PDB file of all heavy atoms in Angstrom:
ATOM      1  N   LEU P 558     -13.142 -25.237  -5.311  1.00 92.00           N
ATOM      2  CA  LEU P 558     -12.431 -26.148  -6.105  1.00 92.00           C
ATOM      3  C   LEU P 558     -13.232 -26.557  -7.348  1.00 92.00           C
ATOM      4  O   LEU P 558     -12.650 -26.758  -8.427  1.00 92.00           O
ATOM      5  CB  LEU P 558     -12.064 -27.428  -5.344  1.00 92.00           C
ATOM      6  CG  LEU P 558     -11.003 -27.203  -4.212  1.00 92.00           C
ATOM      7  CD1 LEU P 558     -10.856 -28.462  -3.364  1.00 92.00           C
ATOM      8  CD2 LEU P 558      -9.621 -26.892  -4.875  1.00 92.00           C
ATOM      9  N   ILE P 624      -1.575 -36.531  -0.945  1.00 97.00           N
ATOM     10  CA  ILE P 624      -2.184 -35.183  -0.852  1.00 97.00           C
ATOM     11  C   ILE P 624      -2.999 -34.898  -2.113  1.00 97.00           C
ATOM     12  O   ILE P 624      -2.783 -35.581  -3.128  1.00 97.00           O
ATOM     13  CB  ILE P 624      -1.106 -34.043  -0.694  1.00 97.00           C
ATOM     14  CG1 ILE P 624      -0.125 -34.014  -1.840  1.00 97.00           C
ATOM     15  CG2 ILE P 624      -0.379 -34.174   0.607  1.00 97.00           C
ATOM     16  CD1 ILE P 624       0.820 -32.833  -1.831  1.00 97.00           C
ATOM     17  N   ASP P 625      -3.946 -34.062  -1.962  1.00 97.00           N
ATOM     18  CA  ASP P 625      -4.914 -33.811  -3.005  1.00 97.00           C
ATOM     19  C   ASP P 625      -5.304 -32.327  -2.979  1.00 97.00           C
ATOM     20  O   ASP P 625      -4.890 -31.558  -2.159  1.00 97.00           O
ATOM     21  CB  ASP P 625      -6.176 -34.657  -2.773  1.00 97.00           C
ATOM     22  CG  ASP P 625      -6.994 -34.854  -4.032  1.00 97.00           C
ATOM     23  OD1 ASP P 625      -6.770 -34.172  -5.060  1.00 97.00           O
ATOM     24  OD2 ASP P 625      -7.909 -35.770  -4.001  1.00 97.00           O
ATOM     25  N   HIS P 626      -6.096 -31.920  -3.996  1.00 97.00           N
ATOM     26  CA  HIS P 626      -6.595 -30.593  -4.016  1.00 97.00           C
ATOM     27  C   HIS P 626      -7.276 -30.287  -2.726  1.00 97.00           C
ATOM     28  O   HIS P 626      -8.066 -31.149  -2.180  1.00 97.00           O
ATOM     29  CB  HIS P 626      -7.605 -30.464  -5.182  1.00 97.00           C
ATOM     30  CG  HIS P 626      -7.041 -30.612  -6.503  1.00 97.00           C
ATOM     31  ND1 HIS P 626      -6.247 -29.682  -7.113  1.00 97.00           N
ATOM     32  CD2 HIS P 626      -7.170 -31.585  -7.409  1.00 97.00           C
ATOM     33  CE1 HIS P 626      -5.898 -30.083  -8.351  1.00 97.00           C
ATOM     34  NE2 HIS P 626      -6.432 -31.284  -8.565  1.00 97.00           N
ATOM     35  N   GLY P 627      -7.060 -29.145  -2.121  1.00 97.00           N
ATOM     36  CA  GLY P 627      -7.763 -28.734  -0.935  1.00 97.00           C
ATOM     37  C   GLY P 627      -7.038 -29.123   0.346  1.00 97.00           C
ATOM     38  O   GLY P 627      -7.519 -28.767   1.463  1.00 97.00           O
ATOM     39  N   ASP P 628      -5.957 -29.841   0.216  1.00 98.00           N
ATOM     40  CA  ASP P 628      -5.201 -30.196   1.464  1.00 98.00           C
ATOM     41  C   ASP P 628      -4.341 -29.035   1.934  1.00 98.00           C
ATOM     42  O   ASP P 628      -3.963 -28.158   1.206  1.00 98.00           O
ATOM     43  CB  ASP P 628      -4.311 -31.431   1.222  1.00 98.00           C
ATOM     44  CG  ASP P 628      -5.116 -32.738   1.168  1.00 98.00           C
ATOM     45  OD1 ASP P 628      -6.323 -32.676   1.534  1.00 98.00           O
ATOM     46  OD2 ASP P 628      -4.612 -33.776   0.758  1.00 98.00           O
ATOM     47  N   VAL P 629      -4.072 -29.044   3.239  1.00 98.00           N
ATOM     48  CA  VAL P 629      -3.306 -27.964   3.903  1.00 98.00           C
ATOM     49  C   VAL P 629      -1.839 -28.351   3.852  1.00 98.00           C
ATOM     50  O   VAL P 629      -1.447 -29.449   4.368  1.00 98.00           O
ATOM     51  CB  VAL P 629      -3.789 -27.771   5.354  1.00 98.00           C
ATOM     52  CG1 VAL P 629      -2.932 -26.775   6.056  1.00 98.00           C
ATOM     53  CG2 VAL P 629      -5.231 -27.336   5.342  1.00 98.00           C
ATOM     54  N   VAL P 630      -1.010 -27.480   3.383  1.00 98.00           N
ATOM     55  CA  VAL P 630       0.424 -27.730   3.324  1.00 98.00           C
ATOM     56  C   VAL P 630       1.215 -26.734   4.155  1.00 98.00           C
ATOM     57  O   VAL P 630       2.463 -26.940   4.410  1.00 98.00           O
ATOM     58  CB  VAL P 630       0.975 -27.771   1.883  1.00 98.00           C
ATOM     59  CG1 VAL P 630       0.330 -28.901   1.085  1.00 98.00           C
ATOM     60  CG2 VAL P 630       0.756 -26.373   1.216  1.00 98.00           C
ATOM     61  N   LEU P 713       8.325 -25.283   0.877  1.00 97.00           N
ATOM     62  CA  LEU P 713       7.479 -26.382   1.349  1.00 97.00           C
ATOM     63  C   LEU P 713       8.374 -27.604   1.597  1.00 97.00           C
ATOM     64  O   LEU P 713       9.544 -27.624   1.156  1.00 97.00           O
ATOM     65  CB  LEU P 713       6.392 -26.727   0.367  1.00 97.00           C
ATOM     66  CG  LEU P 713       5.340 -25.667   0.006  1.00 97.00           C
ATOM     67  CD1 LEU P 713       4.362 -26.220  -1.018  1.00 97.00           C
ATOM     68  CD2 LEU P 713       4.687 -25.139   1.239  1.00 97.00           C
ATOM     69  N   VAL P 717       6.427 -32.658  -0.883  1.00 98.00           N
ATOM     70  CA  VAL P 717       5.125 -32.004  -1.060  1.00 98.00           C
ATOM     71  C   VAL P 717       5.199 -31.036  -2.190  1.00 98.00           C
ATOM     72  O   VAL P 717       4.314 -30.990  -3.053  1.00 98.00           O
ATOM     73  CB  VAL P 717       4.687 -31.292   0.247  1.00 98.00           C
ATOM     74  CG1 VAL P 717       3.428 -30.452  -0.002  1.00 98.00           C
ATOM     75  CG2 VAL P 717       4.478 -32.308   1.351  1.00 98.00           C
ATOM     76  N   VAL P 721       2.946 -31.004  -5.586  1.00 97.00           N
ATOM     77  CA  VAL P 721       2.059 -29.873  -5.871  1.00 97.00           C
ATOM     78  C   VAL P 721       2.325 -29.342  -7.248  1.00 97.00           C
ATOM     79  O   VAL P 721       1.439 -29.140  -8.046  1.00 97.00           O
ATOM     80  CB  VAL P 721       2.259 -28.810  -4.820  1.00 97.00           C
ATOM     81  CG1 VAL P 721       1.548 -27.484  -5.303  1.00 97.00           C
ATOM     82  CG2 VAL P 721       1.651 -29.254  -3.491  1.00 97.00           C
ATOM     83  N   ASP P 725       0.019 -30.030 -10.392  1.00 95.00           N
ATOM     84  CA  ASP P 725      -0.748 -28.753 -10.424  1.00 95.00           C
ATOM     85  C   ASP P 725      -1.873 -28.805  -9.372  1.00 95.00           C
ATOM     86  O   ASP P 725      -3.016 -28.484  -9.681  1.00 95.00           O
ATOM     87  CB  ASP P 725      -1.264 -28.459 -11.786  1.00 95.00           C
ATOM     88  CG  ASP P 725      -1.800 -26.975 -11.948  1.00 95.00           C
ATOM     89  OD1 ASP P 725      -1.327 -26.147 -11.138  1.00 95.00           O
ATOM     90  OD2 ASP P 725      -2.685 -26.696 -12.782  1.00 95.00           O
ATOM     91  N   LEU P 726      -1.539 -29.166  -8.162  1.00 97.00           N
ATOM     92  CA  LEU P 726      -2.495 -29.279  -7.104  1.00 97.00           C
ATOM     93  C   LEU P 726      -2.855 -27.906  -6.517  1.00 97.00           C
ATOM     94  O   LEU P 726      -1.974 -27.056  -6.330  1.00 97.00           O
ATOM     95  CB  LEU P 726      -2.049 -30.171  -5.971  1.00 97.00           C
ATOM     96  CG  LEU P 726      -1.755 -31.682  -6.371  1.00 97.00           C
ATOM     97  CD1 LEU P 726      -1.207 -32.416  -5.097  1.00 97.00           C
ATOM     98  CD2 LEU P 726      -3.034 -32.339  -6.878  1.00 97.00           C
ATOM     99  N   THR P 727      -4.119 -27.685  -6.275  1.00 96.00           N
ATOM    100  CA  THR P 727      -4.591 -26.481  -5.565  1.00 96.00           C
ATOM    101  C   THR P 727      -4.628 -26.782  -4.110  1.00 96.00           C
ATOM    102  O   THR P 727      -5.607 -27.357  -3.569  1.00 96.00           O
ATOM    103  CB  THR P 727      -6.020 -26.062  -6.066  1.00 96.00           C
ATOM    104  OG1 THR P 727      -5.921 -25.779  -7.473  1.00 96.00           O
ATOM    105  CG2 THR P 727      -6.472 -24.819  -5.318  1.00 96.00           C
ATOM    106  N   VAL P 728      -3.574 -26.438  -3.421  1.00 97.00           N
ATOM    107  CA  VAL P 728      -3.398 -26.713  -2.043  1.00 97.00           C
ATOM    108  C   VAL P 728      -3.545 -25.384  -1.228  1.00 97.00           C
ATOM    109  O   VAL P 728      -3.520 -24.324  -1.781  1.00 97.00           O
ATOM    110  CB  VAL P 728      -2.065 -27.409  -1.707  1.00 97.00           C
ATOM    111  CG1 VAL P 728      -2.100 -28.836  -2.299  1.00 97.00           C
ATOM    112  CG2 VAL P 728      -0.879 -26.614  -2.212  1.00 97.00           C
ATOM    113  N   ALA P 729      -3.601 -25.518   0.131  1.00 97.00           N
ATOM    114  CA  ALA P 729      -3.938 -24.425   0.955  1.00 97.00           C
ATOM    115  C   ALA P 729      -2.876 -24.108   2.036  1.00 97.00           C
ATOM    116  O   ALA P 729      -2.199 -25.046   2.509  1.00 97.00           O
ATOM    117  CB  ALA P 729      -5.319 -24.647   1.625  1.00 97.00           C
ATOM    118  N   SER P 730      -2.779 -22.881   2.400  1.00 97.00           N
ATOM    119  CA  SER P 730      -2.116 -22.462   3.629  1.00 97.00           C
ATOM    120  C   SER P 730      -3.216 -21.972   4.604  1.00 97.00           C
ATOM    121  O   SER P 730      -4.247 -21.468   4.136  1.00 97.00           O
ATOM    122  CB  SER P 730      -1.116 -21.378   3.366  1.00 97.00           C
ATOM    123  OG  SER P 730      -1.695 -20.137   3.117  1.00 97.00           O
ATOM    124  N   GLU P 745       3.297 -21.634  -4.282  1.00 94.00           N
ATOM    125  CA  GLU P 745       2.652 -22.964  -4.586  1.00 94.00           C
ATOM    126  C   GLU P 745       1.288 -23.153  -3.877  1.00 94.00           C
ATOM    127  O   GLU P 745       0.698 -24.185  -4.039  1.00 94.00           O
ATOM    128  CB  GLU P 745       3.654 -24.062  -4.238  1.00 94.00           C
ATOM    129  CG  GLU P 745       4.872 -23.989  -5.121  1.00 94.00           C
ATOM    130  CD  GLU P 745       5.998 -24.936  -4.623  1.00 94.00           C
ATOM    131  OE1 GLU P 745       5.696 -25.878  -3.865  1.00 94.00           O
ATOM    132  OE2 GLU P 745       7.162 -24.734  -5.049  1.00 94.00           O
ATOM    133  N   THR P 746       0.891 -22.193  -3.022  1.00 95.00           N
ATOM    134  CA  THR P 746      -0.378 -22.331  -2.387  1.00 95.00           C
ATOM    135  C   THR P 746      -1.392 -21.399  -3.037  1.00 95.00           C
ATOM    136  O   THR P 746      -1.385 -20.174  -2.808  1.00 95.00           O
ATOM    137  CB  THR P 746      -0.347 -22.055  -0.872  1.00 95.00           C
ATOM    138  OG1 THR P 746       0.180 -20.731  -0.633  1.00 95.00           O
ATOM    139  CG2 THR P 746       0.570 -23.036  -0.209  1.00 95.00           C
ATOM    140  N   LYS P 747      -2.321 -21.936  -3.811  1.00 93.00           N
ATOM    141  CA  LYS P 747      -3.270 -21.069  -4.493  1.00 93.00           C
ATOM    142  C   LYS P 747      -4.448 -20.630  -3.636  1.00 93.00           C
ATOM    143  O   LYS P 747      -5.137 -19.677  -3.934  1.00 93.00           O
ATOM    144  CB  LYS P 747      -3.842 -21.798  -5.715  1.00 93.00           C
ATOM    145  CG  LYS P 747      -2.746 -22.150  -6.771  1.00 93.00           C
ATOM    146  CD  LYS P 747      -3.346 -22.965  -7.891  1.00 93.00           C
ATOM    147  CE  LYS P 747      -2.298 -23.401  -8.893  1.00 93.00           C
ATOM    148  NZ  LYS P 747      -2.810 -24.230  -9.979  1.00 93.00           N
ATOM    149  N   MET P 748      -4.624 -21.339  -2.510  1.00 95.00           N
ATOM    150  CA  MET P 748      -5.700 -21.037  -1.587  1.00 95.00           C
ATOM    151  C   MET P 748      -5.005 -20.679  -0.220  1.00 95.00           C
ATOM    152  O   MET P 748      -4.118 -21.429   0.247  1.00 95.00           O
ATOM    153  CB  MET P 748      -6.698 -22.133  -1.345  1.00 95.00           C
ATOM    154  CG  MET P 748      -7.279 -22.661  -2.690  1.00 95.00           C
ATOM    155  SD  MET P 748      -8.295 -24.148  -2.397  1.00 95.00           S
ATOM    156  CE  MET P 748      -9.751 -23.420  -1.715  1.00 95.00           C
ATOM    157  N   ASN P 749      -5.333 -19.556   0.366  1.00 95.00           N
ATOM    158  CA  ASN P 749      -4.761 -19.096   1.607  1.00 95.00           C
ATOM    159  C   ASN P 749      -5.860 -18.580   2.526  1.00 95.00           C
ATOM    160  O   ASN P 749      -6.628 -17.695   2.168  1.00 95.00           O
ATOM    161  CB  ASN P 749      -3.691 -18.038   1.345  1.00 95.00           C
ATOM    162  CG  ASN P 749      -2.686 -18.477   0.328  1.00 95.00           C
ATOM    163  OD1 ASN P 749      -1.797 -19.267   0.693  1.00 95.00           O
ATOM    164  ND2 ASN P 749      -2.734 -18.013  -0.919  1.00 95.00           N
ATOM    165  N   PHE P 750      -5.954 -19.192   3.687  1.00 97.00           N
ATOM    166  CA  PHE P 750      -7.070 -18.858   4.586  1.00 97.00           C
ATOM    167  C   PHE P 750      -6.516 -18.268   5.887  1.00 97.00           C
ATOM    168  O   PHE P 750      -5.620 -18.767   6.542  1.00 97.00           O
ATOM    169  CB  PHE P 750      -7.862 -20.122   4.917  1.00 97.00           C
ATOM    170  CG  PHE P 750      -8.612 -20.673   3.733  1.00 97.00           C
ATOM    171  CD1 PHE P 750      -8.022 -21.685   2.984  1.00 97.00           C
ATOM    172  CD2 PHE P 750      -9.794 -20.137   3.334  1.00 97.00           C
ATOM    173  CE1 PHE P 750      -8.713 -22.197   1.851  1.00 97.00           C
ATOM    174  CE2 PHE P 750     -10.468 -20.629   2.207  1.00 97.00           C
ATOM    175  CZ  PHE P 750      -9.906 -21.660   1.476  1.00 97.00           C
ATOM    176  N   MET P 766      -8.568 -29.003   4.139  1.00 97.00           N
ATOM    177  CA  MET P 766      -9.698 -28.103   4.209  1.00 97.00           C
ATOM    178  C   MET P 766     -11.000 -28.869   3.992  1.00 97.00           C
ATOM    179  O   MET P 766     -12.098 -28.357   4.187  1.00 97.00           O
ATOM    180  CB  MET P 766      -9.597 -26.990   3.173  1.00 97.00           C
ATOM    181  CG  MET P 766      -8.390 -26.062   3.388  1.00 97.00           C
ATOM    182  SD  MET P 766      -8.329 -25.293   4.991  1.00 97.00           S
ATOM    183  CE  MET P 766      -9.811 -24.357   5.010  1.00 97.00           C
TER     184      MET P 766
END
Side-chain angles (χ1 to χ4, degrees):
L558 290 172
I624 59 172
D625 200 346
H626 296 288
D628 284 347
V629 174
V630 297
L713 298 182
V717 173
V721 169
D725 193 24
L726 296 178
T727 299
V728 292
S730 73
E745 296 170 18
T746 59
K747 297 177 183 177
M748 305 173 78
N749 304 285
F750 294 96
M766 299 303 297

